[in-house]
Amino acid sequence: MVSKKHRITASYGPPSPTGPNHLDATVAAALAKMTADAKKAGVKVLVKSGYRSYSQQKAIYDRALRTQPQNINFYAPPGASEHQTGLSADLWDGKVWYRPMENSATGKWLHAHAHEYGFILRFPKGKEKITGVPYEPWHFRYVGVEISRQFDKGNKLTLEEFLGID
Ligand SMILES: [Zn+2]
């Protein structure tokens, strides 16, 4: 669990980063399988953002503070981003981004099938008070299939609720 309330140190990183997005090796393998199956269904899944270091996150956060303070809740402060763990990825089709992503073919497919590959939608709609982050239809967190299969198909459950921690 990494969040605004549960932060990690600057030196924390994926145990075994791999591939162009430096995701943890287990996550990269699950993502590759999911992407291949999506392709068979005619759906394109691309990684918009994978691993991000503490300093990269700090740069993103500091820039957002300056340029779009009204949207700052979308941005995790350094040490509070799951992207630093290599367990999370922002996914899309290469074209449709932000909220409309949920209605793209890629968004619909991922929201229906990501659970089958060990991923959960980390910031579900209507759960900002619990996660501290507005709805992000693109941000998926790897938790492994044993856990992800216990999440509901409607993507309403949060990791906080599942783990019973604040
Ligand atoms: Zn993200």
Side-chain angles (χ1 to χ4, degrees), residues 29-31 33-35 37-38 41 108-121 140-153 155:
L31 181 61
K33 177 155 182 18
M34 182 163 78
T35 302
D37 286 353
K108 286 178 179 169
W109 191 93
L110 287 170
H111 287 203
H113 296 288
H115 301 88
E116 299 161 19
Y117 301 88
F119 292 91
I120 58 166
L121 188 69
F140 291 86
R141 158 73 192 265
Y142 184 79
V143 292
V145 286
E146 281 176 26
I147 293 175
S148 67
R149 289 214 169 106
Q150 297 177 60
F151 275 63
D152 52 319
K153 286 286 179 192
N155 298 300

Side-chain angles (χ1 to χ4, degrees), residues 52 83 89-90 136 138-139:
R52 294 200 291 260
H83 285 278
D90 296 337
E136 290 194 355
W138 56 82
H139 181 106

Side-chain angles (χ1 to χ4, degrees), residues 14-19 22-34 85-88 117-119 142-145:
S16 49
T18 185
H22 301 280
L23 292 168
D24 191 70
T26 307
V27 184
L31 181 61
K33 177 155 182 18
M34 182 163 78
T85 66
L87 299 172
S88 288
Y117 301 88
F119 292 91
Y142 184 79
V143 292
V145 286

